[in-house]
Short mmCIF file of all heavy atoms in Angstrom, two decimals:
data_model
loop_
_atom_site.label_atom_id
_atom_site.label_comp_id
_atom_site.label_asym_id
_atom_site.label_seq_id
_atom_site.Cartn_x
_atom_site.Cartn_y
_atom_site.Cartn_z
N SER A 44 69.61 38.81 115.65
CA SER A 44 68.65 38.37 114.65
C SER A 44 67.25 38.92 114.96
O SER A 44 66.36 38.20 115.38
CB SER A 44 68.65 36.84 114.63
OG SER A 44 67.87 36.36 113.58
N ARG A 47 63.84 40.55 119.78
CA ARG A 47 63.33 39.42 120.57
C ARG A 47 63.07 39.86 121.99
O ARG A 47 63.92 40.47 122.62
CB ARG A 47 64.35 38.28 120.61
CG ARG A 47 64.39 37.53 119.34
CD ARG A 47 65.23 36.30 119.48
NE ARG A 47 65.65 35.90 118.16
CZ ARG A 47 66.52 34.95 117.91
NH1 ARG A 47 67.08 34.30 118.91
NH2 ARG A 47 66.83 34.65 116.67
N ASP A 90 56.88 31.32 112.87
CA ASP A 90 57.12 29.92 113.23
C ASP A 90 55.98 29.30 114.02
O ASP A 90 56.11 28.20 114.54
CB ASP A 90 58.46 29.78 113.97
CG ASP A 90 58.50 30.51 115.30
OD1 ASP A 90 57.43 30.91 115.81
OD2 ASP A 90 59.60 30.68 115.85
N ARG A 92 54.61 30.15 116.83
CA ARG A 92 54.62 30.21 118.29
C ARG A 92 53.49 31.11 118.81
O ARG A 92 52.87 31.86 118.05
CB ARG A 92 55.97 30.69 118.80
CG ARG A 92 56.30 32.14 118.47
CD ARG A 92 57.64 32.55 119.04
NE ARG A 92 58.74 31.75 118.54
CZ ARG A 92 59.74 31.30 119.30
NH1 ARG A 92 59.77 31.57 120.58
NH2 ARG A 92 60.71 30.59 118.77
N THR A 124 61.74 30.43 108.47
CA THR A 124 62.66 31.50 108.08
C THR A 124 63.25 31.28 106.68
O THR A 124 63.21 32.19 105.84
CB THR A 124 63.75 31.67 109.15
OG1 THR A 124 63.13 32.26 110.31
CG2 THR A 124 64.89 32.53 108.70
N PRO A 125 63.78 30.08 106.38
CA PRO A 125 64.28 29.91 105.01
C PRO A 125 63.18 30.00 103.95
O PRO A 125 63.44 30.44 102.82
CB PRO A 125 64.93 28.52 105.02
CG PRO A 125 64.56 27.87 106.31
CD PRO A 125 64.15 28.95 107.25
N SER A 143 59.33 35.35 114.65
CA SER A 143 59.97 34.20 115.29
C SER A 143 60.99 34.68 116.31
O SER A 143 61.59 35.74 116.16
CB SER A 143 60.70 33.36 114.24
OG SER A 143 61.51 32.40 114.88
N ALA A 144 61.16 33.87 117.36
CA ALA A 144 62.30 34.07 118.23
C ALA A 144 63.20 32.85 118.10
O ALA A 144 63.84 32.41 119.05
CB ALA A 144 61.87 34.29 119.68
N SER A 145 63.19 32.28 116.87
CA SER A 145 64.08 31.19 116.49
C SER A 145 64.07 30.05 117.49
O SER A 145 63.04 29.44 117.75
CB SER A 145 65.48 31.76 116.30
OG SER A 145 66.35 30.79 115.83
N HIS A 146 65.18 29.79 118.09
CA HIS A 146 65.35 28.63 118.99
C HIS A 146 64.97 28.94 120.43
O HIS A 146 65.09 28.09 121.29
CB HIS A 146 66.80 28.17 118.94
CG HIS A 146 67.74 29.30 119.21
ND1 HIS A 146 68.01 30.27 118.27
CD2 HIS A 146 68.42 29.64 120.31
CE1 HIS A 146 68.83 31.16 118.80
NE2 HIS A 146 69.10 30.81 120.04
N ASN A 147 64.52 30.17 120.71
CA ASN A 147 64.12 30.48 122.09
C ASN A 147 62.78 29.82 122.38
O ASN A 147 61.91 29.74 121.51
CB ASN A 147 63.99 31.99 122.28
CG ASN A 147 65.32 32.73 122.12
OD1 ASN A 147 66.28 32.17 121.62
ND2 ASN A 147 65.36 33.99 122.52
N LYS A 158 61.49 40.14 112.72
CA LYS A 158 62.72 40.37 111.98
C LYS A 158 62.35 40.82 110.57
O LYS A 158 61.40 40.27 109.99
CB LYS A 158 63.43 39.01 111.93
CG LYS A 158 64.81 39.02 111.41
CD LYS A 158 65.43 37.65 111.61
CE LYS A 158 65.03 36.70 110.53
NZ LYS A 158 65.98 35.62 110.30
N PRO A 282 63.20 24.44 121.44
CA PRO A 282 63.40 24.01 120.06
C PRO A 282 64.76 24.45 119.50
O PRO A 282 64.86 25.18 118.52
CB PRO A 282 62.26 24.69 119.31
CG PRO A 282 62.04 25.95 120.07
CD PRO A 282 62.37 25.66 121.51
N ASP A 283 65.81 24.01 120.16
CA ASP A 283 67.17 24.33 119.75
C ASP A 283 67.88 23.01 119.49
O ASP A 283 68.07 22.22 120.41
CB ASP A 283 67.86 25.10 120.89
CG ASP A 283 69.15 25.75 120.42
OD1 ASP A 283 69.48 25.60 119.23
OD2 ASP A 283 69.81 26.40 121.24
N PRO A 284 68.20 22.74 118.24
CA PRO A 284 68.70 21.40 117.91
C PRO A 284 70.16 21.23 118.31
O PRO A 284 71.07 21.48 117.52
CB PRO A 284 68.54 21.34 116.39
CG PRO A 284 68.67 22.76 115.95
CD PRO A 284 68.15 23.61 117.07
N MET A 308 65.67 20.21 113.77
CA MET A 308 65.65 21.63 113.37
C MET A 308 65.17 22.47 114.54
O MET A 308 64.59 21.94 115.49
CB MET A 308 64.69 21.82 112.19
CG MET A 308 65.20 21.26 110.89
SD MET A 308 63.94 21.37 109.59
CE MET A 308 62.91 19.98 109.98
N ASP A 309 65.33 23.77 114.45
CA ASP A 309 64.92 24.65 115.55
C ASP A 309 63.54 25.26 115.29
O ASP A 309 62.85 24.90 114.33
CB ASP A 309 65.97 25.74 115.81
CG ASP A 309 65.93 26.84 114.76
OD1 ASP A 309 65.55 26.55 113.61
OD2 ASP A 309 66.27 27.99 115.07
N GLY A 310 63.15 26.20 116.14
CA GLY A 310 61.82 26.81 116.10
C GLY A 310 61.41 27.27 114.71
O GLY A 310 60.29 27.00 114.26
N ASP A 311 62.27 27.99 114.02
CA ASP A 311 61.91 28.54 112.71
C ASP A 311 62.58 27.80 111.56
O ASP A 311 62.61 28.29 110.43
CB ASP A 311 62.23 30.05 112.65
CG ASP A 311 63.68 30.34 112.92
OD1 ASP A 311 64.35 29.52 113.58
OD2 ASP A 311 64.18 31.40 112.47
N ALA A 312 63.16 26.62 111.88
CA ALA A 312 63.68 25.68 110.87
C ALA A 312 64.88 26.19 110.09
O ALA A 312 65.15 25.72 108.99
CB ALA A 312 62.57 25.23 109.91
N ASP A 313 65.60 27.15 110.66
CA ASP A 313 66.83 27.53 109.96
C ASP A 313 68.06 26.81 110.51
O ASP A 313 69.08 26.74 109.85
CB ASP A 313 67.03 29.06 109.92
CG ASP A 313 67.08 29.70 111.29
OD1 ASP A 313 66.82 29.00 112.29
OD2 ASP A 313 67.38 30.91 111.36
N ARG A 314 67.95 26.28 111.73
CA ARG A 314 69.08 25.53 112.28
C ARG A 314 68.92 24.04 112.02
O ARG A 314 67.81 23.55 111.82
CB ARG A 314 69.17 25.71 113.79
CG ARG A 314 69.52 27.12 114.20
CD ARG A 314 69.77 27.20 115.69
NE ARG A 314 70.19 28.55 116.02
CZ ARG A 314 70.79 28.89 117.14
NH1 ARG A 314 71.04 27.99 118.06
NH2 ARG A 314 71.15 30.15 117.34
N LYS A 408 70.15 30.83 106.88
CA LYS A 408 70.55 29.45 107.08
C LYS A 408 69.31 28.58 106.91
O LYS A 408 68.19 29.09 107.02
CB LYS A 408 71.22 29.25 108.43
CG LYS A 408 70.42 29.68 109.61
CD LYS A 408 71.31 29.75 110.84
CE LYS A 408 70.53 30.27 112.02
NZ LYS A 408 71.19 31.33 112.74
ZN1 ZN B 20 66.36 29.78 114.08
#
Side-chain angles (χ1 to χ4, degrees):
S44 187
R47 284 189 201 172
D90 64 14
R92 67 179 60 222
T124 288
S143 169
S145 185
H146 53 285
N147 296 14
K158 189 172 82 154
D283 193 0
M308 288 174 281
D309 76 331
D311 58 336
D313 58 352
R314 293 187 176 197
K408 56 194 176 228

